[in-house]
Amino acid sequence: FVLFIVINRVIVRPLTFTAWCNSHLRKAGTQIENIEEDFRDGLKLMLLLEVISGERLAKPERGKMRVHKISNVNKALNFIASKGVKLVSIGAEEIVDGNAKMTLGMIWTIILRFAIQDISVEETSAKEGLLLWCQRKTAPYKNVNIQNFHISWKDGLGFCALIHRHRPELIDYGKLRKDDPMTNLNTAFDVAEKYLDIPKMLDAEDIVGTARPDEKAIMTYVSSFYHAFSGAQKAETAANRICKVLAVNQENEQLMEDYEKLASDLLEWIRRTIPWLENRVPESTMQAMQQKLEDFRDYRRQHKPPKVQEKCQLEINFNTLQTKLRLSNRPAFMPSEGKMVSDISNAWGALEGAEKGYEEWLLNEIRRLERLDHLAEKFRQKAAIHEAWTEGKEAMLTQKDYETASLSEIKALLKKHEAFESDLAAHQDRVEQIAAIAQELNELEYYDSPSVNARCQKICDQWDALGALTQKRSEALQRTEKLLETIDQLYLEFAKRAAPFNNWMEGAMEDLQDTFIVHTIEEIQGLSTAHEQFKATLPEADKERQAILGIHNEIAKIVQTYHVNMAGTNPYTTINPTEINAKWDKVRQLVPQRDQALIEEHARQQNNERLRRQFANQANVIGPWIQTKMEEIGRISIEMHGTLEDQLTHLRQYEKSIVNYKPKIDQLEGDHQQIQEALIFDNKHTNYTMEHIRVGWEQLLTTIARTINEIENQILTRDAKGISQEQLNEFRASFNHFDRDHSGTLGAEEFKACLISLGFDIGNDAQKRTGLMDGEDFRTCLISMGYNMGEAEFARIMSIVDPNRLGVVTFQAFIDFMSRETADTDTADQVMASFKVLAGDKNYILAEELRRELPPDQAEYCISRMAPYTGPDAVPGALDYMSFSTALYGESDL
């Protein structure tokens, strides 16, 4: 602190300096009347310095001689010089001789050093600091504009504003007028002297009557106001600090409550949803299973996407809260048991585990039910055909017609029975098919298996009965076979040819009416080819029909010619030409119906193929697009182009473009639904399934949201810790350099190497372990580091940046660590000191003091949480602000 004083230019008022000196000397029980006379012996000058400095000076000389006076003044001047003041052209002789200008210059030097020098607001100089303090205190008052220490004070409103700002009850500021400076100045001077113990250092007439009032006199007087109100200033500063700390705590507590609620709601939804997804009990009907599939589609389209966003938002809120807690030097947030982010992730994993395979199970069940319905229909058709064939057969086999028949009739009955046995054997395959279908329906757990089994059992029992009756009738006919001599060969030939032809027609009708199920164009083309081959055999079959009918005509001709008493019937078969023609017509009628069914199925398969290609064309574009965007986001998150705000703007624009892509995903969902409704189960045109696209899309949305949140947290960290953009760029560049696999994390050794590159020394053997630095690079690093840590210290740092011991360090954890190394934060001791100011240096504080100094909500916040003070100096209602302050920073419990 160097002060150059040009004595010839010192123009100050003795009244001001005399009053200032007396304001301090009266504490020692003395006063002065004339500065240059009363300070000549140096005794009151030394006493003044002791009062204002609070220190003891050297013992004064009590003699009356000039040498004693010079000695005392020199002791005073030496003390002033010891406080960093360089006195120029001021000597003890001038003071002892009563040189007024030198004496006043010395007093101004003392005022500057002990009354003004320590006034500094926002690291300004003393004069600038005092001026800034005045400007801030008078800013709300009209007609007051403090720009200097001379003419800005002439109207007296500045002095009145300072008093009213701190003691509004002393002055009615609203009644003051700018055009009445004398009243304003005298009011301020009188009130200051009477109520604030500030002596009247200025004369109102001199100020009003001077074009430019004396700057040093006004500075001296204004500094007295500053010191008079310094206690209020300290209390205001302390209250502001406490308000800031409490606001942070209140905001953090609200964020914690929001997290707990959101976590509880999400976990409850997962708890309700998992049992539904794990319920793999199949329904008995196709309609019920299709409803299950539709419910699952609604879940994927409507219910799950908002929960994906909630989970992502929950993680973002948790990370933001932890960042705010770290930045405010608070302990990390520990959610309630079972509500950690890891618990949410585990529960979500369980949800996706339950969800995995559910859709495939539904489709397989639908396919199984479709197969069951097909088999059941096939069973009913074959059973109906068989039952129609067996109708009346038991009655026929039990009749005794052979007992009264003629020999020719007996022979006819025997042949007819042989034909029936052949027909019976031909129907053996159908019965076995019916039993096999029933068995398959049982194995596939068909819901109507009891009725199928009952019908199948009835058919089998009837079949066994027919076999026994056939054997019994055959034996009876064989016993009478010797009585038979002749048989009509033509009837026999008709029967022999008609029976297989009839079987062929029945088989053809059965095949033409047989239901089919296909899933590809190739399969329907195979059925169409087989049908065309069948149609190619119809001409030959028609020739056989004509031949069989020709045999019948020949029989009729013989009967008519020889008058054979055959009653016009064929004794060897029940098949007649009318039945053959009717069945032939039925076959011809079923052929075009089969044609139409195959054509319609072919069209359906073509449509299915179109749906496959339509889905594949979009999926083959969307799938790579999602992968590309994931890679681009990864590059954005590690590149450094522009400021963090630029990166944030870029990412939000990028997020908007991604969200705008959602209609394509929805369109693909629509195509996927059409495919499922068409019961299409495979697609050879693409390797992407809708599940792949859904998972990729959800990961893309989550990744961009997390990346944006990471940048927001970096901005929050930068602003709160005062980290420059250049520092952040340096941190990002170092992190990216050692993140060689672009995973967004560093392993322990990579993290150690990264710290070395930023000036952290790991120990002399670090370079040998990491292999990352050679001699000169390592020496350069050691020179730049200024920070020394061994393995134990590195282990401690790893426990901070990797609390879950995963073996990797994320960029956010890295930034948090570096910000703690490069920035300061509020501490519990600072908050405790602020409360001590509000409490008037007591070890406790009272509720009324908190309500007086703090805003209502924050005062009540403190009162409700502070424990009663139990010290020996406690009074009723005393509150313990010390334990409360440590609890704010996690050092004790609230």
Side-chain angles (χ1 to χ4, degrees), residues 590-688:
L590 291 174
V591 167
Q593 293 178 5
R594 184 73 167 184
D595 287 336
Q596 183 62 31
L598 291 173
I599 291 172
E600 291 175 356
E601 182 61 28
H602 190 272
R604 189 175 77 87
Q605 290 303 323
Q606 283 183 322
N607 183 62
N608 287 355
E609 183 67 11
R610 180 186 62 78
L611 291 176
R612 288 189 184 96
R613 292 183 181 275
Q614 179 175 306
F615 177 86
N617 289 339
Q618 292 189 77
N620 290 336
V621 171
I622 292 175
W625 181 87
I626 291 176
Q627 182 62 34
T628 300
K629 293 302 176 185
M630 290 287 289
E631 295 171 356
E632 290 176 357
I633 293 172
R635 289 196 298 272
I636 291 173
S637 66
I638 65 173
E639 291 175 353
M640 297 174 295
H641 296 305
T643 65
L644 289 177
E645 285 76 7
D646 294 338
Q647 295 177 37
L648 186 60
T649 300
H650 185 196
L651 282 170
R652 283 176 174 160
Q653 293 173 348
Y654 208 78
E655 182 184 38
K656 184 177 180 181
S657 69
I658 290 174
V659 172
N660 289 340
Y661 201 77
K662 182 63 163 59
K664 295 185 181 294
I665 304 296
D666 294 338
Q667 181 181 354
L668 190 65
E669 283 281 7
D671 293 342
H672 178 64
Q673 182 170 348
Q674 292 183 44
I675 283 179
Q676 290 190 332
E677 289 172 351
L679 299 178
I680 299 173
F681 302 107
D682 54 15
N683 194 339
K684 65 181 180 181
H685 303 297
T686 181
N687 292 325
Y688 293 100

Side-chain angles (χ1 to χ4, degrees), residues 484-495:
L484 303 177
E485 295 181 349
T486 62
I487 191 170
D488 191 338
Q489 294 299 321
L490 290 175
Y491 270 132
L492 183 59
E493 183 179 358
F494 178 88

Side-chain angles (χ1 to χ4, degrees), residues 83 163 177 182 233 250 257 294 343 367 423 514 544 617 644 675 680 717 763 788 860 877:
K83 297 303 180 181
I163 296 172
R177 303 200 325 268
M182 288 294 295
Q233 182 71 18
Q250 288 172 312
E257 290 177 7
E294 185 60 31
D343 297 322
R367 186 182 301 179
D423 198 11
D514 191 16
E544 177 66 11
N617 289 339
L644 289 177
I675 283 179
I680 299 173
T717 301
N788 183 23
E860 298 306 322

Side-chain angles (χ1 to χ4, degrees), residues 18 69 137 165 202 334 373 446 540 626 669 678 727 877:
T18 300
K69 296 177 181 180
K137 294 301 179 181
R165 178 65 182 270
L202 301 174
M334 290 297 294
D373 287 348
Y446 181 54
E540 287 298 325
I626 291 176
E669 283 281 7
Q727 285 178 301

Side-chain angles (χ1 to χ4, degrees), residues 59 88 121 334 380 468 490 525 651 763 811 865:
K59 185 176 181 181
V88 179
V121 180
M334 290 297 294
R380 286 190 288 271
L490 290 175
Q525 287 176 342
L651 282 170
F811 181 67
R865 286 167 171 77

